[in-house]
Amino acid sequence: MEVLDRQEALLTNYEVYKVLKDEEDRYKTTKTSDTRKYPENVTTLKFEALQYLSDSPCATQSSAQIALVKEQLLAYDLTKAEILQIINLRPKTPVELHLIIEECGERFTMEGLDELIELILSSLPRDEHDEAADGDEPKEGVNDGSLVGMFYDLNIALPDSAGRAGGQVSSQDWTRIAQTIERAREFGYNVIALNQTVHGKLTSEHHSIWKSVPDVSGAIYSWDRNTGARVNSNATGRVPRDGIRVLRRLTLVVSDASHGLSISSSGGGLASEYDIVAVRPTSEKYLLAAIGGSWDTVDLISLDMGSRWGFFVKHKPAGQALSSGYAFEISYKPALTDSTTRQQWVSNASSIVRMTRGKGLVWTSGASQPFDMRSPYDITALGEALQLNGDLSKRALSTHSRAVLLHAFTRANTLKAVISVKQAPEPDNDSAGPEPKKLRI
């Protein structure tokens, strides 16, 4: 093969697909008279490339459509590489655009991204694979109340003031949190957790903020909003249709060995008021302490996804954590910020995916306002950028998250996860009978 003209422009997937398709058709019509044979490795390469492109959006595109959408995209001040990726990948959600467009959050508003998505979907044809996938998956925002297909977001972040002893949350912040809960319900989430991040030791003064949580339509709280006392430990049961269960979560940032004592069983039971207890170690020493069970109320290991850790998480400690029932959290909010933080997030998230192989992985938003929230299927697409297949991404939003709640329930209500003890109901005053006994289940 002789190259007559050197490459002068980038090629779209459609152009490569068309060349390979024409070459295949030409070979079929001339193979009876042409005795030449291609090298085996070239034939394999052409076959695999054609098979891949046949399942991509380019298989249903045309030259006229690509020329039209290219002309329309020039009005958005996009680079040539960004236009090429948009044509090849045909993004359908803002999350996918954030992965394609450099500094997307600074260059585009949410309305601008929606307008760009609408232009792409209307100018380029819908590929058959997406139509089949949409026919199999349930629609967003539909909550049938069953345990099958329930989605969880175990990290709706409270403001920093909530993490200070005796701190208060302003009415404006509570309004944003209430709007975020409503957005989560609209996106189809069934269970969420409000996350209180505490730096240092946990004290009883940290519990005062839970008395001022606003009421949200359809929300089922696991505590009394007037007293702050925990009233419902059934965090893993069914959720009424169009309802959403709201839990309490504690994330303790451990930078000293004494900090972890406040969340251990010998620390006065302060952590028992929370449905989920997460630990964020600031060094490898405290990470190994959490994995080794030094603090026996931990359910979730949460690392800072937007900053450098200063240490490496190795496969052996990660495997030990998974075998002990701990889960690792990936919060996607840093991926929606500036380019530097997003690059660090990709590095950290890829490290967690690599060391866990997708097992015991939990997706959370870390959202503090409605704009930070994304739908479950957007997060599935984000996972593909980390080489995490769609099935494991969905499990990280559903079954893996429910496993965290089960771990928390068995930790708080069972003896070594074998025997669950419940108080038997007291008999009526008029009836004579034996003293109430404890039931063993």
Side-chain angles (χ1 to χ4, degrees):
M1 179 181 295
E2 181 181 358
V3 178
L4 300 180
D5 295 316
R6 296 184 61 181
Q7 178 182 353
E8 298 295 338
L10 298 173
L11 295 178
T12 64
N13 284 356
Y14 168 76
E15 292 169 307
V16 176
Y17 174 75
K18 190 173 184 301
V19 169
L20 292 176
K21 195 69 175 175
D22 292 345
E23 177 70 13
E24 182 186 46
D25 295 340
R26 187 190 64 80
Y27 178 74
K28 288 180 179 179
T29 57
T30 60
K31 66 179 181 178
T32 54
S33 57
D34 193 351
T35 57
R36 292 179 300 173
K37 292 185 177 180
Y38 291 104
E40 183 177 354
N41 58 341
V42 174
T43 303
T44 302
L45 181 63
K46 288 170 58 179
F47 172 78
E48 291 181 351
L50 191 59
Q51 188 178 40
Y52 168 77
L53 294 174
S54 298
D55 294 332
S56 69
C58 73
T60 53
Q61 294 174 354
S62 67
S63 301
Q65 291 166 341
I66 291 178
L68 176 62
V69 74
K70 179 181 177 181
E71 182 179 353
Q72 293 173 329
L73 290 175
L74 290 175
Y76 289 86
D77 194 25
L78 297 167
T79 65
K80 291 182 178 179
E82 290 168 347
I83 293 177
L84 179 70
Q85 290 285 54
I86 288 175
I87 293 174
N88 289 343
L89 301 177
R90 191 180 174 271
K92 300 177 286 297
T93 63
V95 173
E96 294 174 275
L97 284 177
H98 273 277
L99 298 174
I100 295 173
I101 301 175
E102 186 71 17
E103 298 180 351
C104 183
E106 301 175 7
R107 295 164 57 186
F108 291 90
T109 63
M110 194 62 185
E111 292 75 14
L113 292 179
D114 292 336
E115 180 183 341
L116 189 55
I117 289 292
E118 184 178 354
L119 184 150
I120 295 169
L121 297 183
S122 61
S123 300
L124 294 176
R126 188 166 182 80
D127 53 284
E128 297 176 359
H129 175 74
D130 283 340
E131 290 180 351
D134 287 348
D136 294 338
E137 293 179 347
K139 295 182 179 180
E140 295 177 10
V142 175
N143 175 8
D144 61 1
S146 64
L147 296 178
V148 179
M150 284 179 60
F151 289 118
Y152 301 74
D153 187 348
L154 303 182
N155 187 357
I156 303 297
L158 296 180
D160 293 339
S161 59
R164 295 191 289 267
Q168 298 296 324
V169 180
S170 66
S171 58
Q172 293 84 354
D173 287 332
W174 278 131
T175 299
R176 282 193 290 269
I177 294 298
Q179 293 171 347
T180 306
I181 295 174
E182 293 175 351
R183 177 62 62 86
R185 184 165 61 89
E186 293 171 359
F187 276 155
Y189 289 97
N190 308 89
V191 180
I192 64 169
L194 302 184
N195 183 23
Q196 181 183 20
T197 302
V198 176
H199 294 259
K201 294 182 179 181
L202 176 68
T203 66
S204 58
E205 295 180 355
H206 288 102
H207 294 162
S208 61
I209 65 162
W210 300 107
K211 301 178 184 180
S212 56
V213 179
D215 188 20
V216 178
S217 176
I220 304 171
Y221 296 92
S222 64
W223 71 97
D224 189 324
R225 293 185 299 107
N226 296 319
T227 64
R230 189 174 180 181
V231 296
N232 181 16
S233 61
N234 185 21
T236 60
R238 299 178 184 272
V239 179
R241 186 177 183 85
D242 296 330
I244 187 168
R245 177 171 285 119
V246 182
L247 309 176
R248 292 191 293 189
R249 166 181 161 175
L250 168 69
T251 298
L252 189 72
V253 180
V254 179
S255 56
D256 186 86
S258 62
H259 298 164
L261 296 177
S262 59
I263 58 172
S264 62
S265 57
S266 59
L270 295 174
S272 62
E273 291 296 319
Y274 296 88
D275 299 287
I276 306 168
V277 177
V279 63
R280 178 169 295 174
T282 57
S283 68
E284 185 177 14
K285 172 184 176 181
Y286 301 127
L287 173 64
L288 296 178
I291 292 175
S294 297
W295 312 307
D296 52 4
T297 62
V298 175
D299 309 304
L300 189 64
I301 296 176
S302 172
L303 299 173
D304 189 352
M305 300 304 299
S307 305
R308 292 179 61 88
W309 296 337
F311 58 91
F312 294 99
V313 183
K314 301 178 179 63
H315 286 281
K316 184 175 181 180
Q320 180 183 353
L322 296 176
S323 62
S324 299
Y326 301 138
F328 285 88
E329 174 188 25
I330 296 182
S331 176
Y332 59 78
K333 182 181 177 180
L336 307 178
T337 55
D338 59 274
S339 59
T340 302
T341 305
R342 184 162 61 247
Q343 291 174 359
Q344 187 62 55
W345 179 89
V346 171
S347 175
N348 292 340
S350 299
S351 176
I352 293 180
V353 170
R354 182 172 59 254
M355 71 182 182
T356 62
R357 297 181 177 88
K359 300 177 181 179
L361 189 64
V362 173
W363 280 114
T364 64
S365 66
S368 57
Q369 56 184 343
F371 179 78
D372 299 331
M373 181 70 65
R374 295 295 183 269
S375 75
Y377 299 108
D378 287 339
I379 308 310
T380 301
L382 183 61
E384 294 177 356
L386 303 175
Q387 305 300 315
L388 188 66
N389 64 52
D391 179 61
L392 287 176
S393 282
K394 289 180 181 178
R395 291 185 183 184
L397 287 164
S398 54
T399 55
H400 291 178
S401 298
R402 185 170 186 267
V404 172
L405 300 182
L406 287 172
H407 182 273
F409 175 82
T410 55
R411 168 183 55 76
N413 298 281
T414 65
L415 177 62
K416 296 184 178 180
V418 175
I419 301 175
S420 177
V421 180
K422 294 184 178 181
Q423 183 71 31
E426 295 184 1
D428 296 336
N429 295 332
D430 298 335
S431 61
E435 292 293 328
K437 299 180 179 179
K438 291 184 176 181
L439 298 178
R440 286 189 176 182
I441 302 176

